[in-house]
Amino acid sequence: MSQNKIFPPAMLGILGGGQLGSMFTVTAKTMGYRVTLLDPDPNAPAARFADCHLCAPFDDVNALAKLAQCAAVTTEFENVNAQAMRDLAQHTRVSPSGNCVAIAQNRIAEKSWIRKAGLQTAPYQVIEKLDDINESSLAYLSGILKTATLGYDGKGQIRVHTLTELREAFQTHGGVPCVLEKMVDLRAEISVVVCRLNGEQIATFDPAENIHENGILAYSVVPARLPENLQNQAREMAVRLAHELNYVGVLAVEMFVVGETQDLIVNEIAPRPHNSGHHTIDACLFSQFEQQVRLMCGLVPADTRLLQPCCMANILGDVWGDEGSEPNWGAVLDNPLAHLHLYGKMQARVGRKMGHLTVLADDATTAYEFAKNIRAKLEK
């Protein structure tokens, strides 16, 4: 496919219509583009904004044929059919590539590839059948048994301490291929969002310090409260991964800071805008979604500078009352430095991401404390 620049009012396509697809669509529309969405959910949040909603399965041949008529196509999640993306690439520009998505959606391939790129992961063992669990597995205990595919927000993960627990966990996962990841001396979790067009045109947002609760991201503090040399190393590692993949688009690289020596290891990658990058909408010169639009259209990455320290806090379905009563939105909207973003999902469920808020402040710690205080008041 030609890599000529694509300008408005061209039609852009996206696979998936959740909150990431919704924020992409709003951004693209604001920039003057039109958007075709493929998502089987008739109530997909992005459908409120898209010019065309193809309400069909992601592997529907007719829907994909219509999507192929777009000037360029991207995705909002990695568990899309990678082969469908490869097929689309025969007719239109697709970013990221189906090959990149295939790597990101399988932990075995992902970890193997990260190590081939010369970067470290946590020690791990591939377990594809029960017989793979033996004395050699002891070197990876205590650990976390993760399904190779379809795991996110803590799903598909079981902590294990003994061989007996490991065998039970493997059976609980249904005997599907897994990765046993040795638990590390975790000091912090960070992520870097990379924006890459080609080998010369690449940029990164400031590393975000991520704080999880029950396996789900609760807060992203930006800039990360880590030494500058460590933040620079994280940027360099993320860029290296993007180059090794020959990646085009927005890529999130999650990393662990481990041990007293604060070594950086790569946890996983996400071939799309990332939850920890939502602060860029309010706190950066350009958002990660503007970058997604630009890069799929062959435009150079925009300026990634952070305008003010901030903290993003996820709003989960937990804060809706038992009878579906609305949270205390005044806790956010009465604060002149807080931004509220709701995703338009029809039903609130415990653990479901329903929106987020971003608080700006003079320093990252102050923003974090403000965000915690506001989030606590949502239920009142």
Side-chain angles (χ1 to χ4, degrees), residues 1 28 68 116 118 141 151 157 166 172 175 196 200 220 229 233 241 257 279 301 331 368 371:
M1 292 293 110
K116 286 178 181 177
L141 298 175
Q157 303 185 18
L166 177 56
T172 298
R196 184 183 185 275
E200 291 75 43
S220 287
N229 67 316
Q233 182 186 353
L241 289 174
V257 181
H279 70 279
Y368 175 45

Side-chain angles (χ1 to χ4, degrees), residues 299-322:
L299 305 172
V300 298
D303 195 318
T304 56
R305 83 182 76 170
L306 181 71
L307 299 176
Q308 192 168 2
C310 64
C311 178
M312 186 283 305
N314 274 325
I315 300 172
L316 305 182
D318 310 50
V319 300
W320 270 254
D322 292 337

Side-chain angles (χ1 to χ4, degrees), residues 76 92 173 231 258 276 321 331 340 346 352:
E76 72 145 8
T92 188
H173 282 326
Q231 295 196 49
V258 299
S276 67
L340 177 64
M346 300 293 288
R352 191 183 196 193

